[in-house]
Amino acid sequence: MTDTQKIRVLIVDDHPLMRVGVAAIIDGQPGMVTVAQAGSGEEALELFETHQPDITLMDLRLPKMSGVETIRAIRQVHAQARFVVLTTYEGDEDIHQALEAGAQGYIIKGMPYESLVQALERVHAGGRFLPLPVKKALATRTPDSELSHRERQVLKLMATGNSNKRIGELLGITEATVKSHVSTILMRLNVVDRTQAVILALQRGLVHF
């Protein structure tokens, strides 16, 4: 089989050792080949244009532009582009955001390498690949838990220990408006206080440090 007949994969991950290891797995398969490796979202955009891969294997945690943002940016230009997410993020919000952006597969680092191979094969064939742990996490998501962009900003600043007054100063809004956002966040997350909100946000992937 020539390289042009193989599934051509672009690997996007900010850890060089991870990229090398994943490339070794892909290149060890008779029907797959790594065409390029990117360490950032910005680099991924350039390499995608150059190589036009069949599938982009995307980490979500990248230095500046996130994996979800990178998927969205590529799909704005290439609507048929296919993505498999390979990440440490296991929260239902992470999974939801990636699938909403256009990913067709989602696997967690630490799963058997066979899952990676299966995901690439299935997505290349036009299907989706969501292993059981991913499906279970997604099933816990409640429809009315969606937060607005501003509420996410407030939640992130809550998670880093800022007071309502300080959050207001940082976002250029009044303390009363911050309190209103906090009340909405607690209601949507179905928790009783800020501490519970932060713990749940970290578990679900609404906030990352």
Side-chain angles (χ1 to χ4, degrees):
M1 181 183 289
T2 65
D3 280 1
T4 55
Q5 295 172 304
K6 295 180 179 182
I7 301 173
R8 303 169 66 257
V9 183
L10 165 62
I11 300 170
V12 186
D13 195 294
D14 63 335
H15 291 95
L17 283 175
M18 177 60 71
R19 293 198 302 269
V20 170
V22 171
I25 293 170
I26 291 171
D27 294 335
Q29 305 303 309
M32 299 179 186
V33 63
T34 302
V35 293
Q37 300 179 28
S40 68
E42 294 83 356
E43 190 180 3
L45 295 179
E46 292 180 19
L47 290 174
F48 189 96
E49 290 299 332
T50 302
H51 296 278
Q52 301 284 311
D54 297 314
I55 299 177
T56 301
L57 190 61
M58 180 72 67
D59 188 10
L60 294 185
R61 185 170 191 164
L62 297 172
K64 294 178 183 177
M65 192 178 194
S66 74
V68 167
E69 289 169 336
T70 307
I71 292 172
R72 287 193 183 119
I74 291 174
R75 281 179 62 88
Q76 278 183 350
V77 182
H78 304 277
Q80 302 307 311
R82 292 175 179 170
F83 297 88
V84 172
V85 168
L86 175 62
T87 186
T88 55
Y89 291 166
E90 302 181 52
D92 68 285
E93 183 65 20
D94 294 310
I95 299 165
H96 172 75
Q97 291 292 333
L99 296 179
E100 281 282 298
Q104 293 89 4
Y106 196 107
I107 47 181
I108 310 297
K109 290 177 180 177
M111 287 182 172
Y113 79 88
E114 289 88 354
S115 296
L116 170 61
V117 175
Q118 290 171 10
L120 292 171
E121 289 175 341
R122 190 170 304 173
V123 169
H124 183 254
R128 298 182 92 195
F129 188 86
L130 301 176
L132 190 58
V134 172
K135 286 180 179 176
K136 283 183 176 178
L138 205 53
T140 65
R141 180 181 172 79
T142 51
D144 58 352
S145 65
E146 194 77 43
L147 298 180
S148 69
H149 176 65
R150 178 63 88 190
E151 287 159 1
R152 285 171 178 272
Q153 288 179 314
V154 171
L155 182 56
K156 188 166 187 176
L157 290 170
M158 282 168 53
T160 49
N162 292 284
S163 66
N164 286 349
K165 183 179 180 182
R166 181 58 180 152
I167 292 171
E169 291 170 353
L170 291 168
L171 296 180
I173 56 179
T174 66
E175 189 174 352
T177 301
V178 175
K179 287 180 180 177
S180 175
H181 284 313
V182 171
S183 296
T184 302
I185 290 166
L186 299 183
M187 179 189 70
R188 291 194 187 283
L189 298 185
N190 194 27
V191 294
V192 297
D193 58 34
R194 293 165 68 108
T195 302
Q196 286 185 6
V198 170
I199 291 170
L200 186 62
L202 289 168
Q203 289 173 342
R204 291 187 52 197
L206 287 159
V207 170
H208 293 293
F209 291 131

